Amino acid sequence: MRKFAAFAIGAALAAGLASGGAFAAQNVTSGEQLVSVCRSLIDGGHAAGSQGEPCKDFLIGLIMPQQESLTMGEPFRAERMGPNSNEKGCFDLPNQLTYRQFAQHVVGYAEENPGIVSRPAYELAVRALEAKYPCDPVYLQ
């Protein structure tokens, strides 16, 4: 089931990339920007050209590059995070993660941890997903 879920997520993300969304994701670099576009997605959706589209595109851009290097059943791993670039993070993607759920996780995590918005968008996204979908700590070693 996990392999099918990873394939389904990958297929959905690939479809989003094929629609040209990767370029917009490049414009979201700060945690503050990510929170802003994810709030827009929550409020108005992620249709092409909308203010919420970059939040969707950011998730696609986050997951797709690692999709090819992941071993099925292993979590998403991130390195070089934190103020000294010496922190790691990881999360297990659920069987289904909608763009709206991702946006809600990002916004909620930022509200609970206001200092995170001054960090890069990548770090905020990883930390938000890690808080919701933690992986086995063995993967952090």
Side-chain angles (χ1 to χ4, degrees):
M1 182 65 174
R2 183 109 175 131
K3 289 182 181 181
F4 177 76
F7 174 77
I9 290 169
L13 295 175
L17 277 176
S19 69
F23 178 76
Q26 294 173 4
N27 296 327
V28 177
T29 58
S30 74
E32 187 174 5
Q33 290 171 320
L34 184 59
V35 169
S36 176
V37 297
C38 286
R39 278 193 176 119
S40 294
L41 186 147
I42 292 167
D43 293 341
H46 57 76
S50 71
Q51 291 180 336
E53 182 182 25
C55 179
K56 173 195 80 170
D57 294 341
F58 188 88
L59 175 60
I60 292 167
L62 174 73
I63 302 299
M64 285 308 292
Q66 204 175 98
Q67 181 78 13
E68 292 180 13
S69 65
L70 282 178
T71 301
M72 286 297 195
E74 287 189 11
F76 181 100
R77 289 179 280 196
E79 296 182 356
R80 298 183 298 278
M81 296 190 309
N84 297 320
S85 299
N86 62 349
E87 297 176 19
K88 297 178 181 182
C90 73
F91 56 87
D92 280 315
L93 279 173
N95 289 339
Q96 182 178 10
L97 176 65
T98 67
Y99 299 124
R100 183 175 179 80
Q101 288 170 325
F102 171 70
Q104 290 169 331
H105 297 331
V106 165
V107 171
Y109 188 82
E111 288 172 352
E112 293 171 8
N113 303 277
I116 193 77
V117 298
S118 65
R119 303 293 308 142
Y122 176 81
E123 185 173 341
L124 167 56
V126 169
R127 295 296 186 205
L129 292 172
E130 182 178 46
K132 270 306 208 194
Y133 311 108
C135 70
D136 186 329
V138 73
Y139 289 106
L140 291 173
Q141 299 176 5

